[in-house]
Amino acid sequence: MKATLSYILKPGPHRPFLTLLLCVVLLTILDGGQGRFLNLNTLRSALQTFATLAPIALGLGAAMLIREFDLSIAGLFGLAGCVAVLTGMDAPILSVLAAVLVGTVVGLIQGVVIVRLRLGSVGVTLGGLLICAGLALVISGNRIIGYDNMDVAILMGERMFGVFTLRSLIALGCVVLFAGAFHFLRYGRDAIAIGSNRQAAAATGVHVAAITIGIFALSGMMTALSGSLLSYSLASASPTGLSDVLVPATAAAILGGVSLGGGAGGPLGVAAGVMVLSVLRAGVNAIGAPPFVNDLTIGGVLLVVAIIDGPELARRLAELRKPFARPSSEPSIGS
Amino acid sequence: MFGIPSEFLVLVVAVVAGDVFLRFTRHGRNLVMTGASHRAADAAGVPAMRSIVAAYALAGALAGIAGIMLAVRYGSASMEYGVGYDYNAIAAVLVGGTAIGGGHGSATRTLIGLVVISAAQTILLLRGFGIEWQQLITGLIVLAVIMLQTKVGRK
């Protein structure tokens, strides 16, 4: 029993999948045999959330893997939707490509600035976030823009192979591509080397600058892809309303075993992490709980995983107990 | 009070208290040192863990005060009121020149960053540019300030 428990608690590549399994079991128990959770509708609904979140989480996960962070996705997501909808009346595929190009260029610029000027990625991508969000507001005139090409919107909503849609198939394709590049090419090992120790990686001949710039470009590309496809499927684009993807994507990457300290994680784990969020969201709705329960559950799961993931949990707990246990210790707040 | 909004007085008190705390109290110095080097702080006997817990508690308390002021101003409360303040707050701290890696910064610096950003946004508004341009300009200011800082640091 103790061995199983420590295996479950131990961070590793299997953990995201165990979290997913635990969530499914938990929701099935909460459902109480009424069949509201375990059915195809829940899976369909979960896959729609997965389709939006997975590409973004993959890109952000890659950035976190090399110990950087990409805040700009929150702005880029809305911007890509606006670009795709504003240009895409007649040639939807071309305008998705245009939006993806915008995302890639934004990512490239940020990557070059971070690498060449040796700046922290949080500050640079915060600038990128505000600029992208501002651009989206400017080109849309601070309005929600409707998309009149209903054929495309209907095509986006069409079911394929029972549970999939075009968007979720594209998202799954992204997962496969990322996993392939991560496991079978040298990019995965290079990225982990950079995240673990940048100087050491550079010394062993890893192209640190090129890979860092490439990952930021990739992150922008994935965000723009997801943003433009979501706007098509909703038949509208909003410069502000759709921007709430940064927090779920970060949560998914962390649940997927990507450490904020860099150097640990992989695309399959991130995909499982996204699925945990998607299943929780769909499941909590399916069993008829009020919407805010969704945020509470996700927050709770994330907190537990973050605490368990802390390196040397036992040692830290002991350390924490030390200063607080002393009866003479004075409060350190509000002096 | 003398024609000054009470929210402004709260801001002044917070800035003064923040700088007195950071500069002249033991806990404030501990906090700065923890940010400069966690391990060195540990080695010097500074309770780094306690400083970190205190920093998060302070951040929460100050955000709570801001929330109360918003609720008072609007005479109601909603989850949506805080939206947009989050990124602008980080931007103000960065424009003020507090190092994102930690160990360097002050409340006055953040106040200056705040003044720069809100002045830019207000001027834009008075010149007839819409709300939508404000964010764009804020982003450009943040990026410009950050890029300037690296040049200063490298000479």
Side-chain angles (χ1 to χ4, degrees), chain B residues 6-22 58 62 65-66 69 106-108 111 114:
Chain B
S6 54
E7 288 150 322
F8 183 74
L9 294 179
V10 173
L11 171 70
V12 171
V13 170
V15 169
V16 171
D19 260 350
V20 167
F21 171 71
L22 277 180
L58 274 176
L62 288 170
I65 292 174
M69 293 198 302
S106 72
T108 316
L111 182 66
L114 210 57

Side-chain angles (χ1 to χ4, degrees), chain A residues 170-249:
Chain A
I170 291 176
L172 282 173
C174 292
V175 172
V176 170
L177 283 180
F178 266 74
F182 185 83
H183 290 287
F184 299 116
L185 304 176
R186 38 178 297 195
Y187 300 118
R189 265 171 301 152
D190 285 359
I192 284 186
I194 295 174
S196 312
N197 188 330
R198 192 163 303 239
Q199 280 84 24
T204 51
V206 174
H207 297 292
V208 175
I211 287 184
T212 306
I213 295 173
I215 279 179
F216 275 101
L218 209 57
S219 173
M221 185 194 277
M222 287 292 123
T223 306
L225 179 69
S226 169
S228 49
L229 291 180
L230 179 67
S231 280
Y232 277 177
S233 99
L234 296 176
S236 72
S238 151
T240 53
L242 303 177
S243 62
D244 195 19
V245 288
L246 180 63
V247 176

Side-chain angles (χ1 to χ4, degrees), chain A residues 9-241:
Chain A
L9 291 181
K10 205 174 65 183
H14 60 274
R15 243 268 315 287
F17 301 96
L18 269 174
T19 318
L20 183 56
L21 192 68
L22 283 177
C23 286
V24 170
V25 170
L26 187 72
L27 281 165
T28 314
I29 293 171
L30 283 177
D31 186 32
Q34 297 185 45
R36 291 172 301 183
F37 172 61
L38 280 181
N39 56 40
L40 281 182
N41 284 330
T42 316
L43 182 59
R44 270 185 210 118
S45 159
L47 277 171
Q48 284 304 94
T49 313
F50 180 86
T52 307
L53 215 49
I56 303 175
L58 284 172
L60 182 68
M64 283 161 68
L65 193 61
I66 60 164
R67 225 184 156 163
E68 303 282 356
F69 200 82
D70 191 355
L71 280 169
S72 68
I73 52 178
L76 201 49
F77 189 67
L79 177 63
C82 291
V83 169
V85 165
L86 282 174
T87 59
M89 282 309 156
D90 305 316
I93 295 178
L94 267 184
S95 59
V96 167
L97 287 180
V100 168
L101 188 70
V102 168
T104 315
V105 169
V106 168
L108 261 182
I109 295 173
Q110 292 183 138
V112 169
V113 168
I114 289 166
V115 166
R116 289 279 166 252
L117 298 182
R118 292 181 201 167
L119 288 167
S121 52
V122 173
V124 174
T125 54
L126 177 71
L129 156 68
L130 292 169
I131 291 173
C132 286
L135 270 179
L137 286 169
V138 169
I139 65 171
S140 67
N142 202 359
R143 285 188 315 263
I144 294 173
I145 332 165
Y147 184 58
D148 294 333
N149 195 338
M150 283 320 267
D151 293 344
V152 176
I154 290 167
L155 174 72
M156 287 310 216
E158 216 162 85
R159 278 183 204 165
M160 295 179 173
F161 309 112
V163 291
F164 296 106
T165 60
L166 186 59
R167 281 201 311 133
S168 55
L169 285 177
I170 291 176
L172 282 173
C174 292
V175 172
V176 170
L177 283 180
F178 266 74
F182 185 83
H183 290 287
F184 299 116
L185 304 176
R186 38 178 297 195
Y187 300 118
R189 265 171 301 152
D190 285 359
I192 284 186
I194 295 174
S196 312
N197 188 330
R198 192 163 303 239
Q199 280 84 24
T204 51
V206 174
H207 297 292
V208 175
I211 287 184
T212 306
I213 295 173
I215 279 179
F216 275 101
L218 209 57
S219 173
M221 185 194 277
M222 287 292 123
T223 306
L225 179 69
S226 169
S228 49
L229 291 180
L230 179 67
S231 280
Y232 277 177
S233 99
L234 296 176
S236 72
S238 151
T240 53

Side-chain angles (χ1 to χ4, degrees), chain A residues 320 323-324 330-335, chain B residues 21-22 25-38 41-42 45-59:
Chain A
L320 208 65
F324 283 114
E330 52 200 299
S332 56
I333 303 156
S335 56
Chain B
F21 171 71
L22 277 180
T25 69
R26 186 154 51 93
H27 297 303
R29 297 315 298 166
N30 285 353
L31 190 66
V32 175
M33 187 167 178
T34 305
S37 169
H38 191 136
D42 261 342
V46 169
M49 288 282 225
R50 235 197 278 173
S51 289
I52 294 171
V53 174
Y56 278 98
L58 274 176

